[in-house]
PDB file of all heavy atoms in Angstrom:
ATOM      1  N   GLY A  58       5.374   1.074  -5.338  1.00 95.00           N
ATOM      2  CA  GLY A  58       3.925   1.252  -5.408  1.00 95.00           C
ATOM      3  C   GLY A  58       3.120   0.101  -5.972  1.00 95.00           C
ATOM      4  O   GLY A  58       2.025   0.317  -6.494  1.00 95.00           O
ATOM      5  N   VAL A  59       3.603  -1.120  -5.854  1.00 94.00           N
ATOM      6  CA  VAL A  59       2.850  -2.262  -6.368  1.00 94.00           C
ATOM      7  C   VAL A  59       1.515  -2.407  -5.644  1.00 94.00           C
ATOM      8  O   VAL A  59       0.460  -2.518  -6.280  1.00 94.00           O
ATOM      9  CB  VAL A  59       3.670  -3.570  -6.264  1.00 94.00           C
ATOM     10  CG1 VAL A  59       2.842  -4.774  -6.667  1.00 94.00           C
ATOM     11  CG2 VAL A  59       4.913  -3.481  -7.116  1.00 94.00           C
ATOM     12  N   PHE A  60       1.532  -2.374  -4.306  1.00 97.00           N
ATOM     13  CA  PHE A  60       0.283  -2.466  -3.547  1.00 97.00           C
ATOM     14  C   PHE A  60      -0.512  -1.169  -3.675  1.00 97.00           C
ATOM     15  O   PHE A  60      -1.740  -1.180  -3.688  1.00 97.00           O
ATOM     16  CB  PHE A  60       0.544  -2.791  -2.072  1.00 97.00           C
ATOM     17  CG  PHE A  60       1.240  -4.100  -1.852  1.00 97.00           C
ATOM     18  CD1 PHE A  60       2.301  -4.188  -0.976  1.00 97.00           C
ATOM     19  CD2 PHE A  60       0.855  -5.241  -2.516  1.00 97.00           C
ATOM     20  CE1 PHE A  60       2.949  -5.399  -0.758  1.00 97.00           C
ATOM     21  CE2 PHE A  60       1.498  -6.456  -2.329  1.00 97.00           C
ATOM     22  CZ  PHE A  60       2.545  -6.529  -1.445  1.00 97.00           C
ATOM     23  N   THR A  61       0.193  -0.052  -3.781  1.00 98.00           N
ATOM     24  CA  THR A  61      -0.457   1.249  -3.948  1.00 98.00           C
ATOM     25  C   THR A  61      -1.299   1.260  -5.213  1.00 98.00           C
ATOM     26  O   THR A  61      -2.415   1.789  -5.227  1.00 98.00           O
ATOM     27  CB  THR A  61       0.598   2.382  -4.010  1.00 98.00           C
ATOM     28  OG1 THR A  61       1.608   2.152  -3.036  1.00 98.00           O
ATOM     29  CG2 THR A  61      -0.034   3.738  -3.794  1.00 98.00           C
ATOM     30  N   GLN A  62      -0.782   0.671  -6.275  1.00 97.00           N
ATOM     31  CA  GLN A  62      -1.513   0.599  -7.545  1.00 97.00           C
ATOM     32  C   GLN A  62      -2.821  -0.167  -7.372  1.00 97.00           C
ATOM     33  O   GLN A  62      -3.863   0.241  -7.869  1.00 97.00           O
ATOM     34  CB  GLN A  62      -0.649  -0.067  -8.623  1.00 97.00           C
ATOM     35  CG  GLN A  62      -1.313  -0.158  -9.984  1.00 97.00           C
ATOM     36  CD  GLN A  62      -1.480   1.197 -10.641  1.00 97.00           C
ATOM     37  OE1 GLN A  62      -0.546   2.000 -10.647  1.00 97.00           O
ATOM     38  NE2 GLN A  62      -2.652   1.459 -11.191  1.00 97.00           N
ATOM     39  N   GLU A  63      -2.755  -1.262  -6.658  1.00 97.00           N
ATOM     40  CA  GLU A  63      -3.955  -2.071  -6.411  1.00 97.00           C
ATOM     41  C   GLU A  63      -4.983  -1.261  -5.617  1.00 97.00           C
ATOM     42  O   GLU A  63      -6.171  -1.276  -5.918  1.00 97.00           O
ATOM     43  CB  GLU A  63      -3.567  -3.346  -5.656  1.00 97.00           C
ATOM     44  CG  GLU A  63      -4.614  -4.400  -5.654  1.00 97.00           C
ATOM     45  CD  GLU A  63      -4.726  -5.151  -6.979  1.00 97.00           C
ATOM     46  OE1 GLU A  63      -3.798  -5.114  -7.803  1.00 97.00           O
ATOM     47  OE2 GLU A  63      -5.780  -5.778  -7.186  1.00 97.00           O
ATOM     48  N   LEU A  64      -4.523  -0.551  -4.597  1.00 98.00           N
ATOM     49  CA  LEU A  64      -5.415   0.310  -3.813  1.00 98.00           C
ATOM     50  C   LEU A  64      -6.011   1.403  -4.688  1.00 98.00           C
ATOM     51  O   LEU A  64      -7.216   1.686  -4.619  1.00 98.00           O
ATOM     52  CB  LEU A  64      -4.657   0.934  -2.634  1.00 98.00           C
ATOM     53  CG  LEU A  64      -4.200  -0.022  -1.536  1.00 98.00           C
ATOM     54  CD1 LEU A  64      -3.239   0.681  -0.577  1.00 98.00           C
ATOM     55  CD2 LEU A  64      -5.391  -0.596  -0.778  1.00 98.00           C
ATOM     56  N   TYR A  65      -5.199   2.012  -5.506  1.00 98.00           N
ATOM     57  CA  TYR A  65      -5.624   3.099  -6.383  1.00 98.00           C
ATOM     58  C   TYR A  65      -6.732   2.632  -7.331  1.00 98.00           C
ATOM     59  O   TYR A  65      -7.701   3.353  -7.572  1.00 98.00           O
ATOM     60  CB  TYR A  65      -4.418   3.610  -7.166  1.00 98.00           C
ATOM     61  CG  TYR A  65      -4.618   4.911  -7.883  1.00 98.00           C
ATOM     62  CD1 TYR A  65      -4.496   6.121  -7.208  1.00 98.00           C
ATOM     63  CD2 TYR A  65      -4.898   4.935  -9.242  1.00 98.00           C
ATOM     64  CE1 TYR A  65      -4.644   7.330  -7.867  1.00 98.00           C
ATOM     65  CE2 TYR A  65      -5.055   6.138  -9.915  1.00 98.00           C
ATOM     66  CZ  TYR A  65      -4.935   7.331  -9.224  1.00 98.00           C
ATOM     67  OH  TYR A  65      -5.096   8.528  -9.885  1.00 98.00           O
ATOM     68  N   GLU A  66      -6.587   1.438  -7.841  1.00 97.00           N
ATOM     69  CA  GLU A  66      -7.564   0.905  -8.792  1.00 97.00           C
ATOM     70  C   GLU A  66      -8.850   0.441  -8.126  1.00 97.00           C
ATOM     71  O   GLU A  66      -9.916   0.500  -8.735  1.00 97.00           O
ATOM     72  CB  GLU A  66      -6.955  -0.267  -9.567  1.00 97.00           C
ATOM     73  CG  GLU A  66      -5.850   0.147 -10.513  1.00 97.00           C
ATOM     74  CD  GLU A  66      -5.114  -1.041 -11.127  1.00 97.00           C
ATOM     75  OE1 GLU A  66      -5.499  -2.213 -10.878  1.00 97.00           O
ATOM     76  OE2 GLU A  66      -4.132  -0.786 -11.850  1.00 97.00           O
ATOM     77  N   ARG A  67      -8.767  -0.027  -6.878  1.00 97.00           N
ATOM     78  CA  ARG A  67      -9.921  -0.704  -6.286  1.00 97.00           C
ATOM     79  C   ARG A  67     -10.620   0.029  -5.146  1.00 97.00           C
ATOM     80  O   ARG A  67     -11.752  -0.301  -4.817  1.00 97.00           O
ATOM     81  CB  ARG A  67      -9.491  -2.092  -5.820  1.00 97.00           C
ATOM     82  CG  ARG A  67      -9.087  -2.969  -7.015  1.00 97.00           C
ATOM     83  CD  ARG A  67      -8.604  -4.341  -6.638  1.00 97.00           C
ATOM     84  NE  ARG A  67      -9.452  -5.013  -5.700  1.00 97.00           N
ATOM     85  CZ  ARG A  67      -9.071  -6.028  -4.941  1.00 97.00           C
ATOM     86  NH1 ARG A  67      -7.830  -6.476  -5.018  1.00 97.00           N
ATOM     87  NH2 ARG A  67      -9.897  -6.604  -4.090  1.00 97.00           N
ATOM     88  N   LEU A  68      -9.962   1.008  -4.525  1.00 98.00           N
ATOM     89  CA  LEU A  68     -10.616   1.750  -3.447  1.00 98.00           C
ATOM     90  C   LEU A  68     -11.654   2.711  -4.013  1.00 98.00           C
ATOM     91  O   LEU A  68     -11.518   3.195  -5.144  1.00 98.00           O
ATOM     92  CB  LEU A  68      -9.595   2.547  -2.641  1.00 98.00           C
ATOM     93  CG  LEU A  68      -8.739   1.795  -1.642  1.00 98.00           C
ATOM     94  CD1 LEU A  68      -7.649   2.715  -1.086  1.00 98.00           C
ATOM     95  CD2 LEU A  68      -9.564   1.216  -0.509  1.00 98.00           C
ATOM     96  N   HIS A  69     -12.654   3.022  -3.217  1.00 97.00           N
ATOM     97  CA  HIS A  69     -13.630   4.036  -3.586  1.00 97.00           C
ATOM     98  C   HIS A  69     -12.895   5.356  -3.799  1.00 97.00           C
ATOM     99  O   HIS A  69     -11.965   5.665  -3.049  1.00 97.00           O
ATOM    100  CB  HIS A  69     -14.674   4.169  -2.466  1.00 97.00           C
ATOM    101  CG  HIS A  69     -15.836   5.005  -2.847  1.00 97.00           C
ATOM    102  ND1 HIS A  69     -15.799   6.379  -2.794  1.00 97.00           N
ATOM    103  CD2 HIS A  69     -17.068   4.672  -3.308  1.00 97.00           C
ATOM    104  CE1 HIS A  69     -16.953   6.861  -3.188  1.00 97.00           C
ATOM    105  NE2 HIS A  69     -17.749   5.850  -3.509  1.00 97.00           N
ATOM    106  N   PRO A  70     -13.275   6.152  -4.800  1.00 96.00           N
ATOM    107  CA  PRO A  70     -12.572   7.413  -5.059  1.00 96.00           C
ATOM    108  C   PRO A  70     -12.555   8.379  -3.874  1.00 96.00           C
ATOM    109  O   PRO A  70     -11.665   9.223  -3.777  1.00 96.00           O
ATOM    110  CB  PRO A  70     -13.351   8.028  -6.227  1.00 96.00           C
ATOM    111  CG  PRO A  70     -14.066   6.888  -6.861  1.00 96.00           C
ATOM    112  CD  PRO A  70     -14.323   5.881  -5.789  1.00 96.00           C
ATOM    113  N   ASP A  71     -13.521   8.253  -2.960  1.00 97.00           N
ATOM    114  CA  ASP A  71     -13.560   9.136  -1.792  1.00 97.00           C
ATOM    115  C   ASP A  71     -12.758   8.616  -0.605  1.00 97.00           C
ATOM    116  O   ASP A  71     -12.684   9.285   0.427  1.00 97.00           O
ATOM    117  CB  ASP A  71     -15.016   9.356  -1.341  1.00 97.00           C
ATOM    118  CG  ASP A  71     -15.811  10.132  -2.377  1.00 97.00           C
ATOM    119  OD1 ASP A  71     -15.202  10.896  -3.151  1.00 97.00           O
ATOM    120  OD2 ASP A  71     -17.047   9.956  -2.427  1.00 97.00           O
ATOM    121  N   ALA A  72     -12.177   7.433  -0.731  1.00 98.00           N
ATOM    122  CA  ALA A  72     -11.380   6.880   0.373  1.00 98.00           C
ATOM    123  C   ALA A  72     -10.185   7.789   0.628  1.00 98.00           C
ATOM    124  O   ALA A  72      -9.607   8.366  -0.294  1.00 98.00           O
ATOM    125  CB  ALA A  72     -10.913   5.472   0.027  1.00 98.00           C
ATOM    126  N   GLN A  73      -9.829   7.922   1.897  1.00 98.00           N
ATOM    127  CA  GLN A  73      -8.644   8.687   2.271  1.00 98.00           C
ATOM    128  C   GLN A  73      -7.509   7.693   2.509  1.00 98.00           C
ATOM    129  O   GLN A  73      -7.668   6.735   3.268  1.00 98.00           O
ATOM    130  CB  GLN A  73      -8.928   9.513   3.520  1.00 98.00           C
ATOM    131  CG  GLN A  73      -9.964  10.593   3.250  1.00 98.00           C
ATOM    132  CD  GLN A  73     -10.138  11.513   4.432  1.00 98.00           C
ATOM    133  OE1 GLN A  73      -9.156  11.935   5.035  1.00 98.00           O
ATOM    134  NE2 GLN A  73     -11.376  11.816   4.753  1.00 98.00           N
ATOM    135  N   VAL A  74      -6.394   7.942   1.852  1.00 98.00           N
ATOM    136  CA  VAL A  74      -5.261   7.025   1.910  1.00 98.00           C
ATOM    137  C   VAL A  74      -4.005   7.802   2.288  1.00 98.00           C
ATOM    138  O   VAL A  74      -3.663   8.800   1.654  1.00 98.00           O
ATOM    139  CB  VAL A  74      -5.049   6.304   0.559  1.00 98.00           C
ATOM    140  CG1 VAL A  74      -3.876   5.350   0.637  1.00 98.00           C
ATOM    141  CG2 VAL A  74      -6.326   5.577   0.138  1.00 98.00           C
ATOM    142  N   LEU A  75      -3.343   7.324   3.327  1.00 99.00           N
ATOM    143  CA  LEU A  75      -2.081   7.878   3.779  1.00 99.00           C
ATOM    144  C   LEU A  75      -0.984   6.883   3.417  1.00 99.00           C
ATOM    145  O   LEU A  75      -1.000   5.739   3.872  1.00 99.00           O
ATOM    146  CB  LEU A  75      -2.110   8.115   5.291  1.00 99.00           C
ATOM    147  CG  LEU A  75      -0.792   8.530   5.955  1.00 99.00           C
ATOM    148  CD1 LEU A  75      -0.268   9.847   5.382  1.00 99.00           C
ATOM    149  CD2 LEU A  75      -0.981   8.610   7.466  1.00 99.00           C
ATOM    150  N   VAL A  76      -0.051   7.318   2.594  1.00 98.00           N
ATOM    151  CA  VAL A  76       1.059   6.479   2.147  1.00 98.00           C
ATOM    152  C   VAL A  76       2.331   7.031   2.792  1.00 98.00           C
ATOM    153  O   VAL A  76       2.684   8.189   2.564  1.00 98.00           O
ATOM    154  CB  VAL A  76       1.164   6.480   0.607  1.00 98.00           C
ATOM    155  CG1 VAL A  76       2.345   5.635   0.151  1.00 98.00           C
ATOM    156  CG2 VAL A  76      -0.139   5.990  -0.021  1.00 98.00           C
ATOM    157  N   ILE A  77       2.996   6.198   3.582  1.00 98.00           N
ATOM    158  CA  ILE A  77       4.184   6.623   4.329  1.00 98.00           C
ATOM    159  C   ILE A  77       5.411   5.908   3.769  1.00 98.00           C
ATOM    160  O   ILE A  77       5.503   4.686   3.830  1.00 98.00           O
ATOM    161  CB  ILE A  77       4.021   6.311   5.834  1.00 98.00           C
ATOM    162  CG1 ILE A  77       2.770   6.997   6.381  1.00 98.00           C
ATOM    163  CG2 ILE A  77       5.268   6.725   6.602  1.00 98.00           C
ATOM    164  CD1 ILE A  77       2.396   6.562   7.792  1.00 98.00           C
ATOM    165  N   GLU A  78       6.339   6.689   3.234  1.00 97.00           N
ATOM    166  CA  GLU A  78       7.547   6.155   2.609  1.00 97.00           C
ATOM    167  C   GLU A  78       8.746   6.984   3.060  1.00 97.00           C
ATOM    168  O   GLU A  78       8.675   8.216   3.097  1.00 97.00           O
ATOM    169  CB  GLU A  78       7.419   6.193   1.087  1.00 97.00           C
ATOM    170  CG  GLU A  78       8.661   5.817   0.315  1.00 97.00           C
ATOM    171  CD  GLU A  78       9.232   4.455   0.649  1.00 97.00           C
ATOM    172  OE1 GLU A  78       8.494   3.454   0.550  1.00 97.00           O
ATOM    173  OE2 GLU A  78      10.421   4.377   1.021  1.00 97.00           O
ATOM    174  N   LEU A  79       9.840   6.330   3.390  1.00 95.00           N
ATOM    175  CA  LEU A  79      11.041   6.997   3.880  1.00 95.00           C
ATOM    176  C   LEU A  79      11.930   7.519   2.751  1.00 95.00           C
ATOM    177  O   LEU A  79      12.521   8.589   2.859  1.00 95.00           O
ATOM    178  CB  LEU A  79      11.833   6.022   4.762  1.00 95.00           C
ATOM    179  CG  LEU A  79      12.948   6.580   5.608  1.00 95.00           C
ATOM    180  CD1 LEU A  79      12.434   7.647   6.568  1.00 95.00           C
ATOM    181  CD2 LEU A  79      13.607   5.450   6.403  1.00 95.00           C
ATOM    182  N   ASP A  80      12.011   6.804   1.652  1.00 93.00           N
ATOM    183  CA  ASP A  80      12.931   7.132   0.565  1.00 93.00           C
ATOM    184  C   ASP A  80      12.377   8.259  -0.321  1.00 93.00           C
ATOM    185  O   ASP A  80      11.301   8.126  -0.900  1.00 93.00           O
ATOM    186  CB  ASP A  80      13.191   5.876  -0.267  1.00 93.00           C
ATOM    187  CG  ASP A  80      14.195   6.119  -1.359  1.00 93.00           C
ATOM    188  OD1 ASP A  80      13.778   6.521  -2.469  1.00 93.00           O
ATOM    189  OD2 ASP A  80      15.398   5.908  -1.108  1.00 93.00           O
ATOM    190  N   ALA A  81      13.130   9.350  -0.436  1.00 94.00           N
ATOM    191  CA  ALA A  81      12.683  10.518  -1.197  1.00 94.00           C
ATOM    192  C   ALA A  81      12.430  10.201  -2.669  1.00 94.00           C
ATOM    193  O   ALA A  81      11.493  10.736  -3.276  1.00 94.00           O
ATOM    194  CB  ALA A  81      13.717  11.640  -1.078  1.00 94.00           C
ATOM    195  N   GLY A  82      13.257   9.346  -3.259  1.00 92.00           N
ATOM    196  CA  GLY A  82      13.058   8.978  -4.664  1.00 92.00           C
ATOM    197  C   GLY A  82      11.744   8.259  -4.882  1.00 92.00           C
ATOM    198  O   GLY A  82      11.012   8.542  -5.841  1.00 92.00           O
ATOM    199  N   TYR A  83      11.428   7.324  -3.998  1.00 93.00           N
ATOM    200  CA  TYR A  83      10.141   6.633  -4.095  1.00 93.00           C
ATOM    201  C   TYR A  83       8.985   7.613  -3.884  1.00 93.00           C
ATOM    202  O   TYR A  83       7.972   7.544  -4.573  1.00 93.00           O
ATOM    203  CB  TYR A  83      10.039   5.522  -3.051  1.00 93.00           C
ATOM    204  CG  TYR A  83      10.848   4.276  -3.323  1.00 93.00           C
ATOM    205  CD1 TYR A  83      11.280   3.485  -2.268  1.00 93.00           C
ATOM    206  CD2 TYR A  83      11.168   3.866  -4.611  1.00 93.00           C
ATOM    207  CE1 TYR A  83      12.012   2.321  -2.486  1.00 93.00           C
ATOM    208  CE2 TYR A  83      11.899   2.714  -4.837  1.00 93.00           C
ATOM    209  CZ  TYR A  83      12.320   1.944  -3.763  1.00 93.00           C
ATOM    210  OH  TYR A  83      13.036   0.788  -3.975  1.00 93.00           O
ATOM    211  N   VAL A  84       9.138   8.530  -2.921  1.00 97.00           N
ATOM    212  CA  VAL A  84       8.063   9.494  -2.628  1.00 97.00           C
ATOM    213  C   VAL A  84       7.737  10.316  -3.872  1.00 97.00           C
ATOM    214  O   VAL A  84       6.568  10.487  -4.229  1.00 97.00           O
ATOM    215  CB  VAL A  84       8.432  10.401  -1.434  1.00 97.00           C
ATOM    216  CG1 VAL A  84       7.454  11.562  -1.296  1.00 97.00           C
ATOM    217  CG2 VAL A  84       8.465   9.589  -0.146  1.00 97.00           C
ATOM    218  N   ALA A  85       8.755  10.825  -4.546  1.00 96.00           N
ATOM    219  CA  ALA A  85       8.535  11.636  -5.750  1.00 96.00           C
ATOM    220  C   ALA A  85       7.795  10.834  -6.821  1.00 96.00           C
ATOM    221  O   ALA A  85       6.836  11.328  -7.430  1.00 96.00           O
ATOM    222  CB  ALA A  85       9.869  12.148  -6.285  1.00 96.00           C
ATOM    223  N   ALA A  86       8.224   9.597  -7.035  1.00 95.00           N
ATOM    224  CA  ALA A  86       7.576   8.755  -8.051  1.00 95.00           C
ATOM    225  C   ALA A  86       6.136   8.425  -7.657  1.00 95.00           C
ATOM    226  O   ALA A  86       5.230   8.445  -8.499  1.00 95.00           O
ATOM    227  CB  ALA A  86       8.378   7.475  -8.262  1.00 95.00           C
ATOM    228  N   LEU A  87       5.915   8.133  -6.378  1.00 97.00           N
ATOM    229  CA  LEU A  87       4.565   7.821  -5.898  1.00 97.00           C
ATOM    230  C   LEU A  87       3.646   9.033  -6.031  1.00 97.00           C
ATOM    231  O   LEU A  87       2.483   8.895  -6.428  1.00 97.00           O
ATOM    232  CB  LEU A  87       4.610   7.346  -4.446  1.00 97.00           C
ATOM    233  CG  LEU A  87       5.271   5.994  -4.205  1.00 97.00           C
ATOM    234  CD1 LEU A  87       5.614   5.821  -2.731  1.00 97.00           C
ATOM    235  CD2 LEU A  87       4.385   4.861  -4.697  1.00 97.00           C
ATOM    236  N   LYS A  88       4.156  10.221  -5.711  1.00 98.00           N
ATOM    237  CA  LYS A  88       3.342  11.439  -5.835  1.00 98.00           C
ATOM    238  C   LYS A  88       2.939  11.679  -7.284  1.00 98.00           C
ATOM    239  O   LYS A  88       1.807  12.082  -7.551  1.00 98.00           O
ATOM    240  CB  LYS A  88       4.091  12.651  -5.280  1.00 98.00           C
ATOM    241  CG  LYS A  88       4.073  12.715  -3.782  1.00 98.00           C
ATOM    242  CD  LYS A  88       4.738  13.983  -3.261  1.00 98.00           C
ATOM    243  CE  LYS A  88       4.619  14.047  -1.754  1.00 98.00           C
ATOM    244  NZ  LYS A  88       5.206  15.287  -1.209  1.00 98.00           N
ATOM    245  N   SER A  89       3.853  11.418  -8.210  1.00 97.00           N
ATOM    246  CA  SER A  89       3.512  11.648  -9.621  1.00 97.00           C
ATOM    247  C   SER A  89       2.462  10.650 -10.111  1.00 97.00           C
ATOM    248  O   SER A  89       1.648  10.989 -10.968  1.00 97.00           O
ATOM    249  CB  SER A  89       4.765  11.617 -10.501  1.00 97.00           C
ATOM    250  OG  SER A  89       5.255  10.311 -10.652  1.00 97.00           O
ATOM    251  N   ARG A  90       2.456   9.460  -9.566  1.00 97.00           N
ATOM    252  CA  ARG A  90       1.486   8.439 -10.004  1.00 97.00           C
ATOM    253  C   ARG A  90       0.167   8.470  -9.243  1.00 97.00           C
ATOM    254  O   ARG A  90      -0.888   8.220  -9.826  1.00 97.00           O
ATOM    255  CB  ARG A  90       2.106   7.042  -9.847  1.00 97.00           C
ATOM    256  CG  ARG A  90       3.222   6.773 -10.832  1.00 97.00           C
ATOM    257  CD  ARG A  90       3.915   5.457 -10.583  1.00 97.00           C
ATOM    258  NE  ARG A  90       3.044   4.313 -10.675  1.00 97.00           N
ATOM    259  CZ  ARG A  90       3.292   3.146 -10.074  1.00 97.00           C
ATOM    260  NH1 ARG A  90       4.384   2.990  -9.343  1.00 97.00           N
ATOM    261  NH2 ARG A  90       2.456   2.144 -10.206  1.00 97.00           N
ATOM    262  N   PHE A  91       0.226   8.748  -7.931  1.00 98.00           N
ATOM    263  CA  PHE A  91      -0.965   8.591  -7.098  1.00 98.00           C
ATOM    264  C   PHE A  91      -1.345   9.841  -6.303  1.00 98.00           C
ATOM    265  O   PHE A  91      -2.331   9.833  -5.559  1.00 98.00           O
ATOM    266  CB  PHE A  91      -0.758   7.433  -6.105  1.00 98.00           C
ATOM    267  CG  PHE A  91      -0.285   6.170  -6.743  1.00 98.00           C
ATOM    268  CD1 PHE A  91       0.998   5.686  -6.513  1.00 98.00           C
ATOM    269  CD2 PHE A  91      -1.111   5.447  -7.589  1.00 98.00           C
ATOM    270  CE1 PHE A  91       1.437   4.504  -7.098  1.00 98.00           C
ATOM    271  CE2 PHE A  91      -0.678   4.275  -8.189  1.00 98.00           C
ATOM    272  CZ  PHE A  91       0.599   3.791  -7.939  1.00 98.00           C
ATOM    273  N   GLY A  92      -0.565  10.902  -6.433  1.00 98.00           N
ATOM    274  CA  GLY A  92      -0.760  12.094  -5.618  1.00 98.00           C
ATOM    275  C   GLY A  92      -2.063  12.835  -5.844  1.00 98.00           C
ATOM    276  O   GLY A  92      -2.450  13.665  -5.024  1.00 98.00           O
ATOM    277  N   ASP A  93      -2.754  12.537  -6.933  1.00 98.00           N
ATOM    278  CA  ASP A  93      -4.035  13.199  -7.170  1.00 98.00           C
ATOM    279  C   ASP A  93      -5.115  12.730  -6.195  1.00 98.00           C
ATOM    280  O   ASP A  93      -6.083  13.449  -5.943  1.00 98.00           O
ATOM    281  CB  ASP A  93      -4.503  12.990  -8.618  1.00 98.00           C
ATOM    282  CG  ASP A  93      -4.733  11.531  -8.967  1.00 98.00           C
ATOM    283  OD1 ASP A  93      -3.945  10.660  -8.521  1.00 98.00           O
ATOM    284  OD2 ASP A  93      -5.718  11.236  -9.688  1.00 98.00           O
ATOM    285  N   ARG A  94      -4.945  11.528  -5.624  1.00 98.00           N
ATOM    286  CA  ARG A  94      -5.949  10.999  -4.687  1.00 98.00           C
ATOM    287  C   ARG A  94      -5.373  10.601  -3.341  1.00 98.00           C
ATOM    288  O   ARG A  94      -6.111  10.556  -2.357  1.00 98.00           O
ATOM    289  CB  ARG A  94      -6.639   9.760  -5.291  1.00 98.00           C
ATOM    290  CG  ARG A  94      -7.624  10.096  -6.356  1.00 98.00           C
ATOM    291  CD  ARG A  94      -8.417   8.914  -6.884  1.00 98.00           C
ATOM    292  NE  ARG A  94      -8.683   7.844  -5.970  1.00 98.00           N
ATOM    293  CZ  ARG A  94      -8.699   6.554  -6.316  1.00 98.00           C
ATOM    294  NH1 ARG A  94      -8.451   6.185  -7.542  1.00 98.00           N
ATOM    295  NH2 ARG A  94      -8.964   5.623  -5.413  1.00 98.00           N
ATOM    296  N   PHE A  95      -4.105  10.252  -3.278  1.00 98.00           N
ATOM    297  CA  PHE A  95      -3.511   9.739  -2.055  1.00 98.00           C
ATOM    298  C   PHE A  95      -2.597  10.777  -1.422  1.00 98.00           C
ATOM    299  O   PHE A  95      -1.919  11.532  -2.119  1.00 98.00           O
ATOM    300  CB  PHE A  95      -2.709   8.472  -2.343  1.00 98.00           C
ATOM    301  CG  PHE A  95      -3.529   7.270  -2.748  1.00 98.00           C
ATOM    302  CD1 PHE A  95      -4.909   7.313  -2.872  1.00 98.00           C
ATOM    303  CD2 PHE A  95      -2.908   6.071  -3.019  1.00 98.00           C
ATOM    304  CE1 PHE A  95      -5.647   6.198  -3.249  1.00 98.00           C
ATOM    305  CE2 PHE A  95      -3.626   4.943  -3.387  1.00 98.00           C
ATOM    306  CZ  PHE A  95      -5.007   5.008  -3.505  1.00 98.00           C
TER     307      PHE A  95
END
């Protein structure tokens, strides 16, 4: 989520973001960090 973090910090809060990841471990970690908006 290095680029995801940058998007999270700089995108408008109303932006819709679709994050596509194959690895289940990464998905779980990404959801815990960014799942409130992405």
Side-chain angles (χ1 to χ4, degrees):
V59 174
F60 299 134
T61 318
Q62 181 69 46
E63 195 76 18
L64 292 169
Y65 193 82
E66 292 172 4
R67 295 178 48 200
L68 283 172
H69 190 278
D71 294 334
Q73 294 186 44
V74 180
L75 172 60
V76 178
I77 303 170
E78 173 56 56
L79 193 59
D80 183 271
Y83 286 153
V84 169
L87 292 164
K88 282 184 176 182
S89 73
R90 290 174 60 204
F91 310 111
D93 62 321
R94 285 185 31 216
F95 292 1

